[in-house]
Amino acid sequence: YEIDFRFQTIDELITRLSEILNPKANEVVEDLDIVIDRESATLRRRDRKTQLAEYIANVFPLHQSYQMCLQTILAKLSRQRSFSVGWQGTITQLAESSEQGDVFARVVAWVMVQSHPTVFQIHHTFVAQGTECTVYREIREGQIHSPTTSVDPSVVVLRYQGDNAPDAPAIIADFRAGITKAITLISHKIQSGH
């Protein structure tokens, strides 16, 4: 129980026992590595901002995977000029919360059809509740620079422990599936004349 609060080395135990046996001795300076490890573990466990900052650090490497996925999609779309796809990159923040928990990262891509103002956005939202993190996907519809409405409700893509890196292949596969679905949805919307 609370392994981080136990003595981690024999030297640390000896130092603490020496303090008790020789109370008038000079101030004992703890080993820097021991202090860093102990206090970092305590902050990760007890301070929400520190926890979320670690979760963000674990998500940030996904940025490159998203970018590679989009480059592959753009190469496929270059064969025709009907659809365009873009994204805002990985947005990280610590101040937003939702019904599901603390939102700490978001990736938004969009699909458009040339000469039409309609935009379909694919949102991947990273949310932490306690130490469990969840990635949600939602597809939203709107027009450029205007509010959007949900056209494909939020679904759970992945659940993972925040102190671990999320499963990049699973997230990117869902991102590709979300863009594919958004292309179909926007095409049907435009074909229906709305």
Side-chain angles (χ1 to χ4, degrees):
Y1 181 70
E2 294 196 345
I3 292 172
D4 296 327
F5 289 128
R6 297 179 187 173
F7 293 112
Q8 302 298 311
T9 64
I10 296 297
D11 290 337
E12 186 180 356
L13 175 62
I14 291 170
T15 301
R16 293 291 175 93
L17 289 174
S18 297
E19 292 172 12
I20 294 169
L21 294 173
N22 301 314
K24 295 183 185 198
N26 292 337
E27 178 183 359
V28 177
V29 177
E30 289 185 271
D31 180 69
L32 179 61
D33 293 332
I34 292 169
V35 171
I36 289 170
D37 291 344
R38 181 186 66 230
E39 297 306 322
S40 294
T42 302
L43 279 174
R44 280 194 307 272
R45 191 172 37 261
R46 296 189 176 165
D47 179 61
R48 190 61 175 162
K49 287 185 178 181
T50 301
Q51 289 171 353
L52 294 174
E54 182 175 350
Y55 301 166
I56 288 170
N58 289 337
V59 163
F60 198 71
L62 286 174
H63 183 87
Q64 186 175 6
S65 298
Y66 278 110
Q67 199 165 22
M68 289 171 52
C69 177
L70 280 167
Q71 287 173 350
T72 302
I73 292 168
L74 288 170
K76 291 178 187 245
L77 291 175
S78 69
R79 290 181 257 149
Q80 53 73 39
R81 303 237 188 294
S82 300
F83 299 101
S84 61
V85 175
W87 77 313
Q88 296 176 342
T90 307
I91 303 164
T92 57
Q93 53 199 22
L94 296 174
E96 185 182 349
S97 60
S98 70
E99 293 176 8
Q100 292 91 4
D102 298 312
V103 177
F104 63 91
R106 178 174 282 122
V107 174
V108 180
W110 64 85
V111 174
M112 297 176 64
V113 173
Q114 187 175 8
S115 303
H116 289 277
T118 302
V119 177
F120 276 59
Q121 298 176 344
I122 302 89
H123 291 244
H124 266 180
T125 306
F126 293 76
V127 180
Q129 189 168 49
T131 60
E132 182 181 70
C133 297
T134 307
V135 182
Y136 295 93
R137 188 218 330 127
E138 180 182 22
I139 299 177
R140 302 183 65 81
E141 175 191 352
Q143 296 199 356
I144 299 171
H145 306 299
S146 68
T148 59
T149 57
S150 181
V151 293
D152 190 45
S154 186
V155 295
V156 173
V157 174
L158 177 71
R159 292 189 195 277
Y160 67 99
Q161 286 300 308
D163 53 353
N164 296 317
D167 182 6
I171 292 172
I172 298 307
D174 179 80
F175 189 63
R176 178 187 298 270
I179 289 175
T180 303
K181 189 170 190 177
I183 288 172
T184 303
L185 291 170
I186 196 169
S187 176
H188 290 173
K189 168 113 179 157
I190 290 171
Q191 290 174 53
S192 69
H194 289 94

